[in-house]
């Protein structure tokens, strides 16, 4: 009841009502009783509603029930509520509203100094629980943590893509203990696609010194040093290192390259015998090291999940030949599944649509013996590809006469008989069937699933160095299970295996499908 009255009082405006002021006048015996006669129309109506009473007993009737039993006065505004109830009410409000609440009056401002209020805001808005106990040890208040660290930097929490030319990346900014840390996510070492992701801290923000937030660069091998963060505009921010000499190593660039190579690829240059791969690795080191952790980041979202999706959308890591492992994002758009690169390479850069799958065109694989034949696979996929091309051409051509359409008994191309299954096949995934790669198809990882659920026609994006002459070529999408899928590139005679990224990513869900699709379009424009 008190809480309900408090809410009503808040909606009506904080402060005492006329009836409450009249009660205070009656409670003071030295006041002249003539003042009780000075009532407006509202007070007159209030007297009519209840039992008739004269002015002489108005003071007592304001504190009594129908039975005449005296009781405590009922609060008429937030100011009349006990402090412990105000603490409970204020704790349930978003932290952004509390500074304005402190401007109402001195009482509110004093109550807002209660640690319970800010401890609950830190817990509910930023997921801090056990970490709050550490604050008591170091003598830091929950209010200072919220006001000076968590709230000012709340807009950089979540997933971001760094602007590193064609290479891109994945940054996750999180509240980690009493720090805000920017973790760069790195794929496992090639070709172990099913291994967990690796993380490297690029910056951190804390309040250990001077009771104010400090930004530190974590890049290099000499420990934390001075850095800076600037919010350029909405959904974009930049980092800057103020002591880049901390990134240098005693052995110069050669030592820096050897250290980077071991961290990036898990091997030495002598272990990589493929000359083209050596060139790609050296090129990436030269390009990425020039930034010295002075980067611009743009916000990215995780795709929305719908009950009709073939599998749960999200982030995966996949094999891309001599380019190594790359991070991609799987999303669903009606009858299409799209795979977008978050990390890229000089041929197909980050942000580009690497795969597009037509969920209305499933393919039924033959028996294992015929699956080993590249010719058989090409016949199935190219049959659907030709049908798709004819459909695109027919969109611009005039419609055929009805008689001709009815009399046509032309057999569909090989492999197209299963296309009519369409979305029905997507909603009821078939039982696992044996799967084997055709002979002659190259795979970075020879350990791949030997059963699959479904297969679909799709296209993959290939291009020359520098993203020249990009084109979409036909291929086969293979759904192995809820966490793995693959793609056979017909023209390249290559197989890519993708495995789900299982890390928990907070503050990353897209607000809506429209915002997510707009983000995808922007990502493509960044590297086109």
């Amino acid at each position: 009841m008190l809480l309900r009255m408090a809410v009503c009082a808040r909606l009506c405006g904080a402060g005492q009502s006329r009836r409450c002021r009249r009660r205070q006048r009656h409670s003071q015996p030295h006041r002249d009783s003539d003042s009780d006669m000075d009532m407006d129309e509202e007070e007159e109506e209030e007297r009519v509603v209840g039992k008739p009473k004269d002015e002489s007993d108005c003071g007592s009737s304001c504190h009594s029930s129908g039975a005449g039993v005296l009781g405590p006065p009922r609060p008429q505004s937030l100011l009349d509520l006990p402090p412990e109830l105000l603490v409970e009410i204020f704790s349930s409000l978003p932290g952004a509203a509390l500074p304005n609440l402190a401007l109402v009056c001195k009482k509110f401002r004093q109550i807002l100094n209660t640690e319970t209020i800010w401890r609950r805001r830190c817990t509910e808005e930023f997921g801090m629980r056990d970490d709050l106990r550490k604050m008591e040890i170091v003598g830091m208040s929950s209010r200072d943590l919220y006001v000076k660290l968590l709230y000012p930097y709340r807009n950089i929490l979540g997933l971001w893509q760094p602007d590193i030319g064609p290479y891109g990346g994945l940054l996750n900014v999180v509240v980690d203990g009493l720090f805000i840390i920017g973790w760069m996510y790195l794929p496992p070492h090639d070709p172990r696609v099913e291994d967990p992701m690796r993380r490297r801290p690029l910056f951190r923000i804390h309040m250990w010194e001077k009771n104010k937030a400090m930004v530190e660069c974590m890049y290099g091998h000499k420990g934390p040093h001075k850095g800076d963060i600037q919010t350029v505009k909405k959904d974009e921010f930049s980092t800057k290192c103020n002591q880049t000499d901390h990134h240098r190593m005693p052995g110069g660039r050669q030592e820096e390259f050897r250290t980077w190579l071991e961290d990036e690829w898990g091997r030495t240059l002598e272990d990589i015998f493929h000359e083209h791969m050596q060139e790609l690795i050296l090129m990436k080191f030269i390009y990425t090291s020039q930034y010295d952790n002075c980067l611009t980041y743009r916000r990215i979202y995780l795709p929305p999940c719908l009950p009709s999706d073939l599998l749960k959308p999200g982030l995966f890591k996949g094999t891309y030949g001599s380019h190594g492992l790359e991070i991609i994002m799987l999303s669903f758009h009606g009858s299409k599944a799209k795979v977008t690169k978050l990390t890229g390479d000089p041929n197909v850069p980050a942000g580009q649509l690497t795969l597009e799958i037509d969920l209305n065109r499933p393919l039924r694989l033959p028996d294992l013996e015929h699956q080993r034949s590249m010719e058989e696979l090409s016949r199935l996929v190219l049959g659907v590809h030709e049908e798709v091309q004819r459909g695109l051409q027919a969109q611009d051509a005039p419609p055929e006469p009805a008689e001709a359409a009815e009399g046509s008994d032309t057999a569909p191309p090989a492999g197209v008989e299963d296309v009519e299954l369409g979305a029905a096949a997507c909603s009821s995934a078939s039982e696992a069937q044996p799967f084997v790669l055709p002979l002659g198809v190259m795979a970075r990882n020879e350990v791949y699933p030997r059963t699959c659920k479904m297969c679909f026609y799709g296209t993959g994006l290939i291009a020359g160095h520098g993203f020249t002459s990009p084109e979409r070529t036909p291929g086969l999408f293979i759904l192995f299970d809820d966490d793995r899928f693959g793609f056979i590139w017909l023209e390249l005679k290559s197989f890519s295996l993708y495995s789900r990224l299982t890390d928990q990513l907070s503050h990353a869900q897209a607000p809506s499908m429209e915002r997510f699709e707009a983000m995808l379009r922007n990502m493509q424009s960044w590297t086109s």
Side-chain angles (χ1 to χ4, degrees):
M1 176 63 72
L2 288 176
L3 183 59
R4 185 181 302 171
M5 293 181 66
V7 173
C8 293
R10 181 165 178 245
L11 292 175
C12 296
Q16 297 172 328
S17 65
R18 292 187 179 91
R19 179 186 296 182
C20 203
R21 289 194 296 270
R22 183 160 52 84
R23 183 190 304 127
Q24 289 183 352
R25 290 197 299 268
H26 282 292
S27 63
Q28 299 178 11
H30 64 275
R31 290 289 183 94
D32 190 351
S33 61
D34 293 341
S35 62
D36 296 338
M37 301 296 295
D38 187 16
M39 298 186 301
D40 56 15
E41 295 179 0
E42 178 182 342
E43 292 175 325
E44 195 66 46
E45 290 176 1
E46 291 171 354
R47 297 181 69 110
V48 174
V49 172
K51 186 177 179 179
K53 50 185 176 288
D54 48 40
E55 290 82 346
S56 61
D57 62 356
C58 182
S60 61
S61 65
C62 289
H63 299 279
S64 63
S65 61
V69 179
L70 293 177
R74 293 182 176 181
Q76 299 297 315
S77 74
L78 285 176
L79 290 171
D80 296 331
L81 295 176
E84 59 270 18
L85 188 54
L86 286 176
V87 169
E88 182 65 25
I89 295 173
F90 293 172
S91 297
S92 64
L93 298 176
L98 298 183
N100 290 333
L101 195 61
L103 301 176
V104 174
C105 62
K106 183 179 180 180
K107 181 177 181 180
F108 284 8
R109 186 163 59 253
Q110 291 174 340
I111 291 176
L112 285 172
N113 288 326
T114 307
E115 274 290 283
T116 305
I117 298 174
W118 300 100
R119 189 179 299 117
R120 183 171 170 182
R121 289 299 90 221
C122 292
T123 300
E124 293 186 0
E125 296 182 23
F126 299 99
M128 300 188 68
R129 288 176 175 83
D130 296 337
D131 299 321
L132 295 176
R133 300 175 184 174
K134 302 176 184 177
M135 294 170 30
E136 300 175 358
I137 300 175
V138 299
M140 185 187 306
S141 68
S142 300
R143 185 181 186 278
D144 284 343
L145 182 70
Y146 187 96
V147 172
K148 298 179 181 179
L149 177 66
L150 299 180
Y151 187 77
Y153 290 96
R154 70 195 184 283
N155 290 327
I156 70 170
L157 299 178
L159 293 181
W160 304 83
Q161 186 178 44
D163 184 6
I164 314 180
Y167 299 104
L170 178 64
L171 180 81
N172 187 25
V173 183
V174 299
V175 177
D176 193 337
L178 300 182
F179 297 88
I180 292 178
I181 301 182
W183 293 100
M184 180 68 81
Y185 275 66
L186 303 172
H189 292 137
D190 181 55
R192 300 194 296 268
V193 68
E194 297 195 42
D195 284 3
M197 295 286 289
R198 298 175 296 126
R199 299 192 310 171
R200 179 192 302 156
L202 292 190
F203 64 84
R204 71 179 186 181
I205 314 170
H206 63 83
M207 288 181 54
W208 290 118
E209 301 175 8
K210 300 180 182 179
N211 200 27
K212 67 176 183 179
M214 295 183 60
V215 179
E216 292 180 330
C217 176
M218 302 290 288
Y219 189 78
H221 304 273
K222 296 183 180 179
H225 46 282
K226 292 182 180 180
D228 190 23
I229 289 180
Q230 295 181 345
T231 302
V232 181
K233 55 184 179 180
K234 180 178 173 60
D235 294 335
E236 184 175 315
F237 76 94
S238 297
T239 58
K240 180 183 178 182
C241 176
N242 296 330
Q243 294 176 292
T244 55
D245 56 297
H246 281 64
H247 306 168
R248 308 283 81 87
M249 301 189 74
R253 295 288 280 175
Q254 290 186 354
E255 183 181 359
E256 292 172 14
F257 175 64
R258 286 196 300 269
T259 304
W260 174 88
L261 182 60
E262 186 174 351
D263 184 50
E264 186 84 6
W265 289 82
R267 63 183 82 175
T268 65
L269 194 62
E270 291 75 20
D271 297 331
I272 303 173
F273 301 104
H274 199 290
E275 185 176 349
H276 179 58
M277 183 180 292
Q278 291 181 354
E279 294 175 353
L280 291 173
I281 291 173
L282 184 59
M283 184 187 309
K284 183 175 182 179
F285 169 74
I286 295 174
Y287 192 97
T288 58
S289 61
Q290 66 180 330
Y291 287 91
D292 264 338
N293 204 27
C294 299
L295 297 167
T296 297
Y297 298 88
R298 299 183 179 93
R299 183 179 294 281
I300 58 177
Y301 297 112
L302 292 178
C305 183
L306 302 175
S308 59
D309 292 341
L310 183 65
L311 71 159
K312 182 182 178 181
L315 304 185
F316 292 75
K317 44 202 184 298
T319 56
Y320 278 87
S322 56
H323 296 293
L325 301 187
E326 298 185 7
I327 307 173
I328 60 92
M329 177 186 292
L330 172 69
S331 57
F332 292 92
H333 309 260
S335 62
K336 301 287 186 182
K338 296 183 179 181
V339 177
T340 305
K341 282 190 170 188
L342 297 185
T343 60
D345 51 71
N347 290 70
V348 179
Q352 295 302 313
L353 184 63
T354 178
L355 301 179
E356 187 172 32
I357 314 303
D358 191 341
L359 301 178
N360 282 335
R361 297 184 181 275
L363 286 171
R364 183 174 300 150
L365 293 178
D367 55 48
L368 279 178
E369 186 62 30
H370 287 87
Q371 285 185 39
R372 298 180 186 277
S373 171
M374 188 64 187
E375 290 76 14
E376 180 69 17
L377 176 65
S378 298
R379 184 183 69 84
L380 289 172
V381 176
L382 292 178
V384 179
H385 183 67
E386 292 171 2
E387 178 72 12
V388 171
Q389 297 303 311
R390 283 197 294 269
L392 294 175
Q393 295 173 3
Q395 292 179 0
D396 300 328
E400 296 182 4
E403 296 81 1
E406 293 175 359
S408 175
D409 58 353
T410 305
V416 183
E417 61 271 11
D418 295 323
V419 170
E420 288 139 9
L421 294 174
C426 302
S427 59
S428 58
S430 59
E431 296 182 358
Q433 57 180 314
F435 173 80
V436 65
L437 285 175
L439 297 175
V441 172
M442 298 178 294
R444 295 291 297 173
N445 196 332
E446 296 182 359
V447 180
Y448 61 88
R450 297 308 169 111
T451 59
C452 68
K453 288 185 175 181
M454 305 184 71
C455 296
F456 295 89
Y457 161 82
T459 59
L461 181 62
I462 62 175
H465 187 83
F467 198 39
T468 57
S469 305
E471 61 173 322
R472 308 206 69 86
T473 61
L476 180 68
F477 174 88
I478 310 107
L479 176 62
F480 294 116
D481 51 43
D482 292 340
D483 296 319
R484 294 177 297 179
F485 64 87
F487 190 79
I488 298 178
W489 309 72
L490 287 189
E491 185 170 331
L492 303 177
K493 293 185 178 181
S494 176
F495 171 71
S496 291
L497 177 64
Y498 301 85
S499 177
R500 186 181 296 278
L501 193 154
T502 57
D503 299 66
Q504 296 295 323
L505 304 173
S506 57
H507 299 92
Q509 205 63 39
S512 64
M513 193 64 186
E514 291 74 17
R515 288 281 297 275
F516 177 76
E517 290 180 342
M519 178 208 72
L520 289 183
R521 291 191 296 269
N522 290 335
M523 288 177 64
Q524 293 185 27
S525 67
W526 298 338
T527 55
S528 295

